[in-house]
Amino acid sequence: MKKIFFTPGPSQLYPTVEKHLKYALEKQLFSISHRSVDFQNIYNETVSNIKKLFTVPKDHSVFFLSSATEAMERIIENGVEKKSFHLVNGAFSSKFFQISQDLKKQPEKFEVEAGKGFDVNSINITKNTEVICITHNETSTGVAVPVDDIYSLKKRHPDSFIGVDIVSSAPYVTIDAAKIDYLFFSVQKGFGMPSGLGVLIVSPIAMEKSIYLAKKGTNIGSYHNFLQLEKYALKSQTPMTPNVLGIYLLGKVSGDMLKKGLKTIRKETEEKAGMVYRLAENHELLSPFVADKNNRSKTVIVINVKGGSEVLIKKLKEKGIVVGKGYKQFKEEHIRIANFPTHSTSQMAKLVKLLF
Ligand SMILES: *Cc1c(COP(=O)(O)O)cnc(C)c1O
């Protein structure tokens, strides 16, 4: 029996991945040189579709990395001399903070309990903060930060750059890339692709900061610093042999998503999320982990299971449905349900029916 993966990453492959993969194999695309015109064409198609999908201004750079975790490291290296500030409410936002610490910066954080959102207007951010780091959708707990709160932080701190992790909310999230200095995601979540590719979008002033730090003698990294990435991006290439499979598939899958239309994708996402939350709210044994509706993620739905989640996870697996376990300390209490564009309404209805 073929399973359906509702896991929050890797997740179910987007339905068109198989077709694109077969075509690429037939055309031997994974043997071409990464310095060839054929590769440059693939690169350009992907960058162009990403720019359309996220309405990225012309002067922003799009870089390909190996993962979202790498994007966090590159942002700190290339944007922070001393101080980053982190909004922490779970494992991934915490990792961003940790990376800054590991790179010997002096990060600060504002931390709230797992499952809670932020009252952004009450957060005191140190004046000399260089980058404010925000995880839009905290995959470990199912909390999403309202995008207006992100804009409002930027407004209150115009001299700090804003870095936003949209790994598990892209491409559903509506966020104005022009207002964000570093926007990043990896592809094994909302894009329904094999893992191993990260995408980082960088604003022109954030590029300047990297140049400034390099001139000053700060360590901004080596082959994947922004200067190297930009130098090759201008030639529609990457500094090293990249994940050609990932770059190719991302171009195709984002093209398919553009054809389907973000409006439709968003509408379907909200309908499916509504089905799951409604069930959880009215169920004897299930309840949404995130109490405040304004902070509930539409793309990663975390549900508390009275009496433990293990039996339920097993039962669903027997029916061919794989949901995520709770993250770390919630492993035995929660289930996490990914609600990505790859998950059709009828698949979600099947899951809801089994949970009922
Ligand atoms: C999965 C995830 C990451 C890490 O992604 P990798 O591609 O494994 O580095 C970072 N942030 C969030 C919010 C995630 O869900």
Side-chain angles (χ1 to χ4, degrees):
M1 176 175 48
K2 268 221 164 159
K3 299 182 188 115
I4 308 170
F5 284 87
F6 284 95
T7 39
S11 198
Q12 184 68 25
L13 290 181
Y14 197 67
T16 59
V17 164
E18 188 172 334
K19 171 184 90 181
H20 296 310
L21 195 51
K22 275 186 182 151
Y23 180 84
L25 288 170
E26 208 176 284
K27 297 281 174 190
Q28 296 182 288
L29 293 184
F30 307 129
S31 302
I32 64 172
S33 161
H34 58 297
R35 303 291 174 224
S36 68
V37 174
D38 285 344
F39 174 75
Q40 288 170 313
N41 290 337
I42 292 171
Y43 183 105
N44 288 337
E45 180 178 344
T46 305
V47 169
S48 155
N49 284 347
I50 289 302
K51 284 197 157 181
K52 275 185 211 147
L53 207 53
F54 293 97
T55 47
V56 179
K58 265 207 178 87
D59 55 358
H60 286 227
S61 308
V62 176
F63 298 142
F64 297 113
L65 304 172
S66 69
S67 66
T69 309
E70 189 191 349
M72 294 179 192
E73 180 167 285
R74 300 299 166 230
I75 290 166
I76 301 296
E77 280 178 334
N78 285 268
V80 179
E81 192 177 358
K82 292 197 180 92
K83 202 161 285 300
S84 56
F85 190 98
H86 302 256
L87 270 60
V88 176
N89 64 341
F92 292 102
S93 41
S94 183
K95 182 175 266 176
F96 210 162
F97 172 80
Q98 179 71 45
I99 284 173
S100 187
Q101 246 179 358
D102 290 347
L103 291 170
K104 313 290 181 210
K105 311 293 177 184
Q106 294 145 31
E108 289 180 27
K109 63 177 166 179
F110 180 86
E111 191 162 12
V112 296
E113 227 179 291
K116 297 267 169 23
F118 303 96
D119 174 10
V120 292
N121 292 315
S122 73
I123 303 175
N124 238 329
I125 294 177
T126 325
K127 225 177 166 215
N128 55 353
T129 292
E130 293 156 88
V131 183
I132 303 169
C133 303
I134 304 163
T135 305
H136 172 252
N137 197 74
E138 180 46 82
T139 317
S140 62
T141 59
V143 174
V145 177
V147 172
D148 283 338
D149 285 355
I150 297 175
Y151 298 155
S152 132
L153 267 178
K154 174 74 192 170
K155 225 177 192 165
R156 277 177 53 221
H157 303 279
D159 298 332
S160 305
F161 292 147
I162 301 270
V164 184
D165 172 338
I166 51 166
V167 176
S168 57
S169 51
Y172 161 76
V173 61
T174 309
I175 191 161
D176 184 357
K179 290 192 173 128
I180 311 295
D181 299 291
Y182 311 96
L183 193 61
F184 66 95
F185 60 90
S186 46
V187 299
Q188 73 277 17
K189 309 212 175 161
F191 283 89
M193 283 177 42
S195 60
L197 180 68
V199 177
L200 171 61
I201 301 164
V202 181
S203 76
I205 45 165
M207 275 303 302
E208 275 173 35
K209 175 74 182 275
S210 181
I211 296 166
Y212 163 81
L213 290 178
K215 276 198 184 133
K216 228 183 144 180
T218 306
N219 178 13
I220 60 164
S222 60
Y223 73 104
H224 264 182
N225 69 44
F226 290 177
L227 278 60
Q228 286 293 315
L229 286 162
E230 180 72 1
K231 181 180 145 190
Y232 282 91
L234 291 171
K235 300 188 276 188
S236 308
Q237 290 179 17
T238 55
M240 28 52 106
T241 323
N243 180 348
V244 179
L245 165 67
I247 294 172
Y248 176 77
L249 287 177
L250 180 60
K252 294 299 175 194
V253 167
S254 46
D256 295 334
M257 289 177 172
L258 284 166
K259 261 181 236 145
K260 175 160 184 171
L262 274 177
K263 218 172 137 186
T264 308
I265 288 174
R266 288 182 178 135
K267 189 168 154 271
E268 287 178 1
T269 303
E270 280 157 20
E271 281 167 5
K272 289 180 290 164
M275 286 158 56
V276 181
Y277 279 122
R278 263 195 307 282
L279 168 88
E281 279 170 346
N282 296 301
H283 198 283
E284 213 176 313
L285 300 176
L286 308 178
S287 56
F289 175 56
V290 180
D292 185 344
K293 283 188 184 171
N294 287 325
N295 290 127
R296 279 184 194 162
S297 166
K298 299 281 197 295
T299 51
V300 179
I301 300 164
V302 179
I303 294 175
N304 196 65
V305 186
K306 212 175 177 176
S309 57
E310 198 184 338
V311 176
L312 179 59
I313 290 170
K314 213 175 138 208
K315 196 185 106 186
L316 290 169
K317 204 169 235 169
E318 281 161 13
K319 304 275 182 195
I321 287 188
V322 188
V323 297
K325 289 190 184 96
Y327 203 87
K328 285 204 179 132
Q329 77 261 40
F330 300 110
K331 197 171 169 183
E332 274 148 39
E333 295 160 46
H334 293 173
I335 55 169
R336 289 182 302 148
I337 299 171
N339 176 29
F340 296 148
T342 184
H343 301 111
S344 69
T345 308
S346 65
Q347 286 172 337
M348 197 57 93
K350 185 176 167 191
L351 169 58
V352 166
K353 207 171 157 196
L354 285 171
L355 285 172
F356 193 69

